[in-house]
Amino acid sequence: MARLTFVGGIHPYDGKDLSKDKPIREVFPKGDLVYPLSQHIGAPAQPIVKKGDRVLTGQKIAEAGGFVSAPVYASVSGKVKAIEPRRVVTGDLVMSIVVENDELYEEVDRPEPAPLEELTREEKISLIREAGIVGMGGAGFPTAVKLSPKEPEKIEYVIVNCAECEPYLTSDYRKMLEEPRELIGGLKVILSLFENARGILAVEDNKPNCISKLKRLTKNETKITVKALKTKYPQGSERQLIYAATGRAINSSMLPADAGCVVNNVDTVIAVYNAVTYGEPLIYRIVTVTGDAIAAPQNFKVRIGTNYHELVEEAGGFKQQPVKIVSGGPMMGFGIFDLDVPTTKTSSALLCLTKDEVSAMEPSACINCGKCAEVCPGRVVPRKLADYAEHYDEEAFLKNNGMECCECGCCSYICPAKRPLTQVIKSMRKMQLAKKKK
Protein backbone atom coordinates (compact mmCIF):
# COMPACT_ATOMS: atom_id res chain seq x y z
CA MET A 1 0.00 0.00 0.00
CA ALA A 2 1.31 3.45 -0.92
CA ARG A 3 2.42 5.50 2.06
CA LEU A 4 0.82 8.89 2.57
CA THR A 5 3.14 11.67 1.46
CA PHE A 6 3.72 14.57 -0.95
CA VAL A 7 5.85 15.25 -4.02
CA GLY A 8 9.41 16.41 -3.34
CA GLY A 9 11.23 16.50 -0.02
CA ILE A 10 14.53 15.16 1.30
CA HIS A 11 15.93 12.66 3.80
CA PRO A 12 18.55 14.43 5.95
CA TYR A 13 20.32 12.76 8.88
CA ASP A 14 17.67 12.97 11.60
CA GLY A 15 19.84 12.95 14.75
CA LYS A 16 16.89 11.77 16.84
CA ASP A 17 18.76 8.85 18.42
CA LEU A 18 20.56 11.32 20.68
CA SER A 19 17.44 12.14 22.68
CA LYS A 20 14.43 10.06 21.61
CA ASP A 21 14.82 7.52 24.42
CA LYS A 22 15.23 10.16 27.12
CA PRO A 23 11.97 10.59 29.11
CA ILE A 24 10.77 14.13 29.78
CA ARG A 25 12.35 15.60 32.90
CA GLU A 26 11.12 18.76 34.61
CA VAL A 27 13.60 21.60 35.05
CA PHE A 28 13.30 24.17 37.84
CA PRO A 29 14.79 27.56 36.92
CA LYS A 30 17.46 29.10 39.12
CA GLY A 31 17.83 32.66 37.83
CA ASP A 32 15.49 35.41 36.67
CA LEU A 33 12.64 34.55 34.31
CA VAL A 34 12.19 36.72 31.19
CA TYR A 35 8.78 36.90 29.49
CA PRO A 36 8.86 38.61 26.07
CA LEU A 37 5.55 40.30 25.30
CA SER A 38 5.74 39.13 21.67
CA GLN A 39 5.80 35.33 21.81
CA HIS A 40 3.18 35.02 19.08
CA ILE A 41 2.06 36.34 15.71
CA GLY A 42 0.03 39.52 16.12
CA ALA A 43 -0.07 42.43 18.55
CA PRO A 44 2.27 42.30 21.56
CA ALA A 45 0.70 41.53 24.93
CA GLN A 46 0.24 44.49 27.30
CA PRO A 47 1.72 44.37 30.83
CA ILE A 48 -0.77 44.43 33.71
CA VAL A 49 1.91 44.35 36.42
CA LYS A 50 4.57 46.90 37.34
CA LYS A 51 8.09 46.86 38.75
CA GLY A 52 8.05 45.75 42.38
CA ASP A 53 4.83 43.73 42.19
CA ARG A 54 4.86 40.20 43.57
CA VAL A 55 3.41 37.60 41.21
CA LEU A 56 2.36 33.97 41.65
CA THR A 57 2.82 30.94 39.42
CA GLY A 58 0.01 30.92 36.88
CA GLN A 59 -0.83 34.60 37.35
CA LYS A 60 -1.55 36.66 34.25
CA ILE A 61 1.11 39.34 33.89
CA ALA A 62 0.22 40.65 30.43
CA GLU A 63 -3.10 40.65 28.60
CA ALA A 64 -3.72 40.17 24.88
CA GLY A 65 -3.07 43.34 22.90
CA GLY A 66 -5.83 42.67 20.38
CA PHE A 67 -7.87 39.95 18.70
CA VAL A 68 -4.74 38.38 17.14
CA SER A 69 -2.65 38.31 20.29
CA ALA A 70 -2.22 36.21 23.44
CA PRO A 71 -1.82 36.86 27.18
CA VAL A 72 1.35 35.94 29.09
CA TYR A 73 1.48 34.20 32.48
CA ALA A 74 4.15 33.96 35.17
CA SER A 75 5.65 30.48 35.40
CA VAL A 76 7.16 31.10 38.85
CA SER A 77 6.37 33.17 41.89
CA GLY A 78 8.54 36.18 42.68
CA LYS A 79 8.95 39.92 42.24
CA VAL A 80 8.75 41.90 39.01
CA LYS A 81 12.31 43.13 38.63
CA ALA A 82 11.91 45.15 35.42
CA ILE A 83 9.84 45.74 32.31
CA GLU A 84 12.41 46.43 29.63
CA PRO A 85 13.71 45.32 26.21
CA ARG A 86 15.50 41.95 26.27
CA ARG A 87 17.21 39.95 23.53
CA VAL A 88 15.34 36.93 22.08
CA VAL A 89 16.52 34.06 19.85
CA THR A 90 15.97 35.99 16.61
CA GLY A 91 18.44 38.63 17.84
CA ASP A 92 15.73 41.26 18.26
CA LEU A 93 15.21 43.32 21.38
CA VAL A 94 11.66 42.72 22.62
CA MET A 95 9.88 44.44 25.51
CA SER A 96 9.80 41.86 28.31
CA ILE A 97 8.70 41.37 31.90
CA VAL A 98 11.56 40.19 34.13
CA VAL A 99 10.61 38.25 37.28
CA GLU A 100 13.04 37.45 40.09
CA ASN A 101 12.33 33.84 41.01
CA ASP A 102 11.77 33.32 44.75
CA GLU A 103 11.87 29.53 44.22
CA LEU A 104 8.69 29.08 46.29
CA TYR A 105 6.48 28.36 43.26
CA GLU A 106 3.37 29.58 45.05
CA GLU A 107 0.39 29.22 42.73
CA VAL A 108 -2.50 31.56 42.09
CA ASP A 109 -5.97 30.24 42.94
CA ARG A 110 -7.97 29.45 39.85
CA PRO A 111 -11.39 27.80 39.53
CA GLU A 112 -11.66 24.63 37.47
CA PRO A 113 -13.91 24.91 34.42
CA ALA A 114 -17.21 23.09 34.17
CA PRO A 115 -17.15 19.58 32.60
CA LEU A 116 -16.56 19.59 28.84
CA GLU A 117 -20.10 18.50 27.99
CA GLU A 118 -21.52 21.47 29.91
CA LEU A 119 -19.41 24.09 28.15
CA THR A 120 -20.65 25.98 25.11
CA ARG A 121 -18.43 26.40 22.03
CA GLU A 122 -17.82 30.04 22.97
CA GLU A 123 -16.83 29.10 26.52
CA LYS A 124 -14.30 26.53 25.29
CA ILE A 125 -12.71 29.02 22.90
CA SER A 126 -12.67 31.64 25.66
CA LEU A 127 -10.76 29.23 27.94
CA ILE A 128 -8.24 28.53 25.16
CA ARG A 129 -7.83 32.26 24.46
CA GLU A 130 -7.51 33.13 28.13
CA ALA A 131 -4.86 30.41 28.63
CA GLY A 132 -2.54 32.20 26.19
CA ILE A 133 -2.15 29.18 23.91
CA VAL A 134 -0.41 29.71 20.56
CA GLY A 135 0.95 27.36 17.91
CA MET A 136 3.85 25.70 19.73
CA GLY A 137 5.35 24.10 16.64
CA GLY A 138 7.12 27.36 15.85
CA ALA A 139 4.61 29.63 14.10
CA GLY A 140 3.07 31.06 17.28
CA PHE A 141 -0.33 31.87 15.78
CA PRO A 142 -2.93 32.36 18.57
CA THR A 143 -4.82 29.07 18.81
CA ALA A 144 -8.18 30.58 19.74
CA VAL A 145 -8.13 32.59 16.50
CA LYS A 146 -7.25 29.48 14.46
CA LEU A 147 -10.18 27.64 16.07
CA SER A 148 -12.59 30.45 15.18
CA PRO A 149 -12.97 30.30 11.38
CA LYS A 150 -15.81 32.26 9.78
CA GLU A 151 -17.65 29.08 8.80
CA PRO A 152 -16.93 26.38 11.41
CA GLU A 153 -19.50 24.07 9.87
CA LYS A 154 -17.24 23.72 6.79
CA ILE A 155 -14.34 22.26 8.78
CA GLU A 156 -14.15 18.55 7.91
CA TYR A 157 -10.76 17.56 9.31
CA VAL A 158 -8.91 18.42 12.51
CA ILE A 159 -5.34 17.25 11.92
CA VAL A 160 -2.86 16.83 14.75
CA ASN A 161 0.66 17.30 13.39
CA CYS A 162 2.49 14.37 15.00
CA ALA A 163 5.06 14.16 12.18
CA GLU A 164 7.95 15.97 13.92
CA CYS A 165 9.96 15.81 10.69
CA GLU A 166 12.58 18.39 11.73
CA PRO A 167 15.90 16.63 12.43
CA TYR A 168 17.05 16.22 16.07
CA LEU A 169 13.69 17.22 17.63
CA THR A 170 12.06 14.59 19.87
CA SER A 171 9.81 16.64 22.18
CA ASP A 172 6.57 15.73 20.38
CA TYR A 173 7.69 12.09 20.18
CA ARG A 174 8.11 11.95 23.96
CA LYS A 175 4.77 13.69 24.49
CA MET A 176 2.99 11.11 22.33
CA LEU A 177 4.54 8.29 24.34
CA GLU A 178 4.12 9.83 27.79
CA GLU A 179 0.85 11.78 27.47
CA PRO A 180 -1.19 10.05 24.74
CA ARG A 181 -4.48 10.31 26.65
CA GLU A 182 -4.07 14.05 27.07
CA LEU A 183 -3.28 14.33 23.35
CA ILE A 184 -6.42 12.42 22.40
CA GLY A 185 -8.40 14.40 24.97
CA GLY A 186 -7.23 17.67 23.41
CA LEU A 187 -8.23 16.44 19.97
CA LYS A 188 -11.70 15.60 21.32
CA VAL A 189 -11.99 19.13 22.73
CA ILE A 190 -11.16 20.63 19.32
CA LEU A 191 -13.50 18.21 17.53
CA SER A 192 -16.31 19.35 19.81
CA LEU A 193 -15.93 22.83 18.26
CA PHE A 194 -16.63 21.54 14.74
CA GLU A 195 -19.76 19.42 14.40
CA ASN A 196 -18.87 18.06 10.94
CA ALA A 197 -15.19 17.32 11.56
CA ARG A 198 -13.23 14.11 11.93
CA GLY A 199 -9.89 13.91 13.70
CA ILE A 200 -6.61 12.69 12.19
CA LEU A 201 -3.49 11.91 14.22
CA ALA A 202 -0.84 12.16 11.46
CA VAL A 203 2.39 10.39 12.51
CA GLU A 204 5.50 9.67 10.46
CA ASP A 205 6.13 5.95 10.10
CA ASN A 206 9.54 6.17 11.82
CA LYS A 207 7.57 6.28 15.10
CA PRO A 208 5.87 2.84 15.08
CA ASN A 209 5.51 2.70 18.87
CA CYS A 210 3.59 6.00 18.85
CA ILE A 211 1.38 4.79 16.00
CA SER A 212 0.52 1.51 17.76
CA LYS A 213 -0.15 3.24 21.09
CA LEU A 214 -2.41 5.89 19.56
CA LYS A 215 -4.25 3.28 17.49
CA ARG A 216 -4.86 1.18 20.58
CA LEU A 217 -6.23 4.13 22.54
CA THR A 218 -8.50 5.30 19.70
CA LYS A 219 -9.80 1.91 18.50
CA ASN A 220 -13.29 2.72 19.83
CA GLU A 221 -13.28 6.34 18.67
CA THR A 222 -15.47 6.61 15.58
CA LYS A 223 -14.35 10.15 14.71
CA ILE A 224 -10.59 9.75 15.17
CA THR A 225 -8.13 8.04 12.78
CA VAL A 226 -4.40 7.46 13.15
CA LYS A 227 -2.59 7.82 9.81
CA ALA A 228 1.00 6.71 9.21
CA LEU A 229 2.83 9.12 6.90
CA LYS A 230 5.98 8.42 4.93
CA THR A 231 9.06 9.64 6.78
CA LYS A 232 10.36 12.55 4.74
CA TYR A 233 11.23 16.19 5.40
CA PRO A 234 9.17 18.50 5.43
CA GLN A 235 6.26 16.11 6.06
CA GLY A 236 5.17 18.25 9.03
CA SER A 237 4.88 21.45 6.99
CA GLU A 238 1.22 22.50 7.05
CA ARG A 239 0.56 22.36 3.30
CA GLN A 240 2.38 19.06 2.85
CA LEU A 241 0.72 17.53 5.92
CA ILE A 242 -2.77 18.44 4.70
CA TYR A 243 -2.05 16.96 1.28
CA ALA A 244 -0.57 13.74 2.69
CA ALA A 245 -3.39 13.22 5.20
CA THR A 246 -6.40 14.31 3.12
CA GLY A 247 -5.33 14.68 -0.51
CA ARG A 248 -6.39 18.33 -0.44
CA ALA A 249 -4.02 21.01 -1.77
CA ILE A 250 -3.66 24.59 -0.57
CA ASN A 251 -1.40 27.41 -1.74
CA SER A 252 0.10 30.51 -0.14
CA SER A 253 -3.06 32.58 -0.68
CA MET A 254 -5.22 30.06 1.20
CA LEU A 255 -5.71 29.10 4.82
CA PRO A 256 -6.14 25.46 5.90
CA ALA A 257 -9.75 26.35 6.71
CA ASP A 258 -10.29 27.06 2.98
CA ALA A 259 -9.66 23.34 2.44
CA GLY A 260 -11.88 22.37 5.35
CA CYS A 261 -8.94 21.67 7.67
CA VAL A 262 -7.56 22.83 11.01
CA VAL A 263 -3.99 21.82 11.94
CA ASN A 264 -2.35 21.94 15.37
CA ASN A 265 0.81 20.34 16.70
CA VAL A 266 1.10 17.88 19.60
CA ASP A 267 2.15 20.29 22.36
CA THR A 268 -0.57 22.77 21.36
CA VAL A 269 -3.32 20.14 21.47
CA ILE A 270 -2.22 18.97 24.92
CA ALA A 271 -2.18 22.61 26.11
CA VAL A 272 -5.78 22.93 24.84
CA TYR A 273 -6.76 19.85 26.87
CA ASN A 274 -5.19 21.27 30.05
CA ALA A 275 -6.81 24.68 29.53
CA VAL A 276 -10.35 23.42 28.93
CA THR A 277 -10.23 20.54 31.43
CA TYR A 278 -8.30 22.15 34.29
CA GLY A 279 -8.19 25.87 33.48
CA GLU A 280 -4.39 25.77 33.24
CA PRO A 281 -2.65 28.65 31.45
CA LEU A 282 0.31 28.00 29.17
CA ILE A 283 3.38 28.23 31.40
CA TYR A 284 5.32 25.11 30.35
CA ARG A 285 6.61 23.59 27.16
CA ILE A 286 8.85 20.66 26.19
CA VAL A 287 12.32 21.54 24.85
CA THR A 288 14.81 19.10 23.33
CA VAL A 289 18.40 20.03 24.24
CA THR A 290 20.62 18.04 21.89
CA GLY A 291 23.52 17.94 19.44
CA ASP A 292 26.95 16.34 19.43
CA ALA A 293 28.33 19.15 21.62
CA ILE A 294 25.90 18.37 24.47
CA ALA A 295 27.12 15.97 27.17
CA ALA A 296 23.72 14.39 27.91
CA PRO A 297 20.97 15.28 25.40
CA GLN A 298 17.57 15.47 27.08
CA ASN A 299 13.90 16.38 26.70
CA PHE A 300 12.99 18.92 29.36
CA LYS A 301 9.69 20.20 30.70
CA VAL A 302 10.61 23.86 30.90
CA ARG A 303 8.91 26.80 32.56
CA ILE A 304 8.52 29.48 29.90
CA GLY A 305 10.99 32.30 30.54
CA THR A 306 13.84 30.01 31.63
CA ASN A 307 17.29 31.01 30.36
CA TYR A 308 18.93 28.78 27.72
CA HIS A 309 22.16 28.71 29.78
CA GLU A 310 20.32 26.80 32.49
CA LEU A 311 19.05 24.20 30.02
CA VAL A 312 22.58 23.51 28.80
CA GLU A 313 23.73 23.06 32.40
CA GLU A 314 20.87 20.64 33.07
CA ALA A 315 22.00 18.61 30.04
CA GLY A 316 25.48 18.20 31.52
CA GLY A 317 27.02 21.20 29.80
CA PHE A 318 29.19 21.05 26.71
CA LYS A 319 31.41 18.00 26.19
CA GLN A 320 33.02 19.97 23.39
CA GLN A 321 32.72 23.68 22.67
CA PRO A 322 29.97 24.18 20.06
CA VAL A 323 30.76 25.90 16.79
CA LYS A 324 27.08 26.35 15.91
CA ILE A 325 24.08 26.84 18.22
CA VAL A 326 20.55 26.77 16.83
CA SER A 327 17.25 27.54 18.51
CA GLY A 328 15.00 24.93 16.89
CA GLY A 329 16.02 22.36 14.31
CA PRO A 330 18.82 22.57 11.72
CA MET A 331 16.47 23.12 8.77
CA MET A 332 14.23 25.94 10.00
CA GLY A 333 15.71 27.05 13.32
CA PHE A 334 17.50 30.30 14.17
CA GLY A 335 21.26 30.41 14.57
CA ILE A 336 22.03 32.22 17.84
CA PHE A 337 25.20 33.91 19.08
CA ASP A 338 24.34 34.11 22.78
CA LEU A 339 22.68 31.65 25.17
CA ASP A 340 21.49 34.49 27.38
CA VAL A 341 17.98 34.38 25.91
CA PRO A 342 14.71 33.01 27.33
CA THR A 343 12.67 30.03 26.26
CA THR A 344 9.30 31.13 24.90
CA LYS A 345 6.02 29.48 23.89
CA THR A 346 7.54 28.60 20.50
CA SER A 347 10.92 27.23 21.71
CA SER A 348 11.06 23.59 20.61
CA ALA A 349 14.76 22.77 20.80
CA LEU A 350 18.28 23.95 21.49
CA LEU A 351 20.74 22.34 19.09
CA CYS A 352 24.49 22.59 19.76
CA LEU A 353 26.86 21.30 17.09
CA THR A 354 30.65 20.87 16.97
CA LYS A 355 30.77 21.69 13.25
CA ASP A 356 29.22 24.47 11.19
CA GLU A 357 28.98 22.76 7.82
CA VAL A 358 27.00 25.60 6.26
CA SER A 359 29.60 28.29 7.01
CA ALA A 360 32.33 26.04 5.66
CA MET A 361 30.61 25.75 2.29
CA GLU A 362 31.95 27.73 -0.66
CA PRO A 363 29.04 28.60 -3.01
CA SER A 364 29.73 28.38 -6.71
CA ALA A 365 27.78 29.07 -9.88
CA CYS A 366 24.57 27.12 -10.56
CA ILE A 367 25.26 24.02 -12.67
CA ASN A 368 21.61 23.73 -13.83
CA CYS A 369 21.23 20.21 -12.44
CA GLY A 370 17.58 20.73 -11.50
CA LYS A 371 17.88 19.01 -8.11
CA CYS A 372 16.40 22.01 -6.28
CA ALA A 373 13.23 21.75 -8.37
CA GLU A 374 13.03 17.98 -7.84
CA VAL A 375 12.97 18.25 -4.04
CA CYS A 376 10.92 21.45 -3.73
CA PRO A 377 7.57 20.61 -2.04
CA GLY A 378 6.15 23.92 -3.28
CA ARG A 379 6.74 22.81 -6.90
CA VAL A 380 8.64 25.97 -7.88
CA VAL A 381 12.12 26.38 -9.39
CA PRO A 382 14.30 27.69 -6.53
CA ARG A 383 17.35 28.52 -8.67
CA LYS A 384 15.26 30.90 -10.78
CA LEU A 385 13.58 32.47 -7.75
CA ALA A 386 16.97 33.00 -6.11
CA ASP A 387 18.26 34.73 -9.25
CA TYR A 388 15.22 37.03 -9.31
CA ALA A 389 15.61 37.77 -5.61
CA GLU A 390 19.34 38.54 -5.95
CA HIS A 391 18.55 41.02 -8.75
CA TYR A 392 15.52 42.47 -6.92
CA ASP A 393 13.29 41.52 -9.82
CA GLU A 394 10.05 41.54 -7.85
CA GLU A 395 7.80 41.20 -10.88
CA ALA A 396 9.53 38.03 -12.14
CA PHE A 397 9.71 36.65 -8.59
CA LEU A 398 5.94 36.96 -8.12
CA LYS A 399 5.15 35.82 -11.67
CA ASN A 400 7.10 32.60 -11.05
CA ASN A 401 5.20 31.84 -7.82
CA GLY A 402 7.88 32.95 -5.40
CA MET A 403 5.35 33.22 -2.59
CA GLU A 404 4.70 29.46 -2.81
CA CYS A 405 8.08 28.81 -1.16
CA CYS A 406 7.56 27.47 2.38
CA GLU A 407 11.19 28.21 3.36
CA CYS A 408 11.80 24.56 4.29
CA GLY A 409 15.45 24.59 3.19
CA CYS A 410 15.28 21.50 0.92
CA CYS A 411 16.79 23.36 -2.04
CA SER A 412 19.75 24.71 -0.06
CA TYR A 413 20.35 21.25 1.41
CA ILE A 414 20.42 19.44 -1.94
CA CYS A 415 22.26 22.05 -4.04
CA PRO A 416 25.66 20.67 -5.20
CA ALA A 417 26.83 24.24 -5.84
CA LYS A 418 26.10 25.04 -2.16
CA ARG A 419 24.05 28.12 -3.07
CA PRO A 420 22.04 29.65 -0.17
CA LEU A 421 18.82 29.43 -2.18
CA THR A 422 16.35 29.37 0.70
CA GLN A 423 17.96 32.31 2.49
CA VAL A 424 17.87 34.53 -0.61
CA ILE A 425 14.28 33.59 -1.46
CA LYS A 426 13.24 34.10 2.17
CA SER A 427 14.54 37.68 2.10
CA MET A 428 12.47 38.52 -0.97
CA ARG A 429 9.37 36.83 0.49
CA LYS A 430 9.78 38.82 3.67
CA MET A 431 9.95 42.02 1.64
CA GLN A 432 6.79 41.13 -0.31
CA LEU A 433 4.87 40.19 2.84
CA ALA A 434 5.83 43.52 4.43
CA LYS A 435 4.55 45.39 1.37
CA LYS A 436 1.31 43.43 1.43
CA LYS A 437 0.86 44.22 5.12
CA LYS A 438 1.21 47.95 4.43
Side-chain angles (χ1 to χ4, degrees), residues 112-125 127 188-189 192-193 276-277:
E112 280 195 13
L116 179 63
E117 60 272 11
E118 295 179 17
L119 294 170
T120 65
R121 184 178 195 279
E122 290 70 27
E123 287 171 333
K124 294 170 195 171
I125 290 176
L127 285 167
K188 287 181 178 179
V189 170
S192 72
L193 303 175
V276 176
T277 307

Side-chain angles (χ1 to χ4, degrees), residues 214-385:
L214 292 172
K215 281 187 173 180
R216 186 174 70 252
L217 292 174
T218 58
K219 64 181 179 180
N220 296 321
E221 299 291 341
T222 58
K223 295 186 69 175
I224 298 176
T225 305
V226 179
K227 291 193 175 185
L229 311 181
K230 183 178 179 180
T231 299
K232 181 168 61 170
Y233 178 85
Q235 188 70 265
S237 177
E238 199 167 59
R239 293 184 222 168
Q240 282 66 52
L241 187 74
I242 289 172
Y243 182 79
T246 71
R248 300 183 178 187
I250 63 171
N251 58 39
S252 63
S253 64
M254 299 168 66
L255 295 172
D258 296 327
C261 299
V262 168
V263 182
N264 286 290
N265 94 310
V266 170
D267 229 351
T268 308
V269 173
I270 292 174
V272 165
Y273 174 80
N274 291 330
V276 176
T277 307
Y278 305 114
E280 292 182 5
L282 180 56
I283 61 173
Y284 296 100
R285 72 152 299 131
I286 309 302
V287 179
T288 301
V289 179
T290 187
D292 62 352
I294 293 289
Q298 300 283 333
N299 296 290
F300 293 126
K301 181 181 180 181
V302 178
R303 291 173 188 253
I304 290 168
T306 302
N307 192 282
Y308 271 179
H309 270 300
E310 296 183 32
L311 299 186
V312 171
E313 290 174 12
E314 288 287 342
F318 296 127
K319 65 179 180 182
Q320 188 175 335
Q321 197 61 29
V323 175
K324 185 75 173 181
I325 300 177
V326 180
S327 177
M331 298 301 296
M332 296 191 74
F334 296 96
I336 60 176
F337 57 86
D338 188 358
L339 284 169
D340 188 18
V341 290
T343 55
T344 64
K345 297 176 184 181
T346 58
S347 301
S348 58
L350 182 62
L351 175 60
C352 304
L353 301 170
T354 57
K355 295 180 181 177
D356 186 352
E357 296 179 14
V358 175
S359 294
M361 292 175 180
E362 289 289 340
S364 59
C366 175
I367 62 172
N368 295 313
C369 65
K371 288 185 178 181
C372 61
E374 287 178 13
V375 301
C376 177
R379 314 317 298 151
V380 294
V381 183
R383 67 173 182 83
K384 283 188 175 182
L385 295 180

Side-chain angles (χ1 to χ4, degrees), residues 64 147-148 419:
L147 299 180
S148 305
R419 297 181 68 202

Side-chain angles (χ1 to χ4, degrees), residues 152-157 191 193-198 223 260:
E153 70 279 359
K154 291 188 177 180
I155 299 301
E156 297 178 71
Y157 295 104
L191 284 172
L193 303 175
F194 305 104
E195 58 183 355
N196 299 320
R198 301 178 63 82
K223 295 186 69 175

Side-chain angles (χ1 to χ4, degrees), residues 38-97:
S38 291
Q39 299 186 42
H40 51 265
I41 291 173
Q46 300 299 312
I48 54 174
V49 293
K50 61 183 184 301
K51 184 178 178 179
D53 286 353
R54 185 167 190 272
V55 298
L56 301 176
T57 305
Q59 178 181 331
K60 187 194 290 188
I61 56 176
E63 61 187 5
F67 178 66
V68 183
S69 186
V72 177
Y73 289 81
S75 56
V76 298
S77 57
K79 187 167 68 174
V80 177
K81 196 172 178 180
I83 300 177
E84 62 188 20
R86 286 294 185 98
R87 193 77 62 187
V88 295
V89 294
T90 57
D92 298 325
L93 284 169
V94 174
M95 192 61 71
S96 307
I97 298 172

